[in-house]
Amino acid sequence: MEIIMPLLSSFYGVLIYIYKEIGGKHHMPHFHAKYAEFEGVYDFKGNLIKGDLPRKQSKLVEAWAVLHEDELNAAWTAWNESGEIIKIDGLR
């Protein structure tokens, strides 16, 4: 199964991706946050589902998700329905 992962946002060294499985389907909207060798999977309310990030970066990701929940939902829908990539501002 091929996995495609566009970069949606980045801030303070954290990279935010949404994955799409070709030939498969994710059941719950979520995003992946990567920082150095760490990776965490979060829901759109900022809750960690799986993985880990250093505490400081995890708190930044949680805050970012809460601020951009509506945009994350729109990006998830666009990416999974039409393949459109919607970029989201990072934290400043």
Side-chain angles (χ1 to χ4, degrees), residues 12-69:
Y12 304 114
V14 177
L15 304 175
I16 305 291
Y17 297 93
I18 283 187
Y19 285 50
K20 182 176 190 176
E21 295 178 31
I22 305 302
K25 185 169 180 151
H26 280 79
H27 298 287
M28 182 177 92
H30 65 279
F31 64 90
H32 294 242
K34 294 184 179 185
Y35 178 78
E37 70 273 13
F38 302 96
E39 183 173 355
V41 178
Y42 293 81
D43 68 18
F44 292 171
K45 295 192 180 299
N47 299 307
L48 180 66
I49 299 168
K50 180 171 101 172
D52 65 340
L53 290 180
R55 182 170 169 77
K56 178 180 178 182
Q57 284 72 25
S58 188
K59 292 294 182 190
L60 291 171
V61 170
E62 292 165 13
W64 177 84
V66 169
L67 291 171
H68 297 285
E69 183 178 357

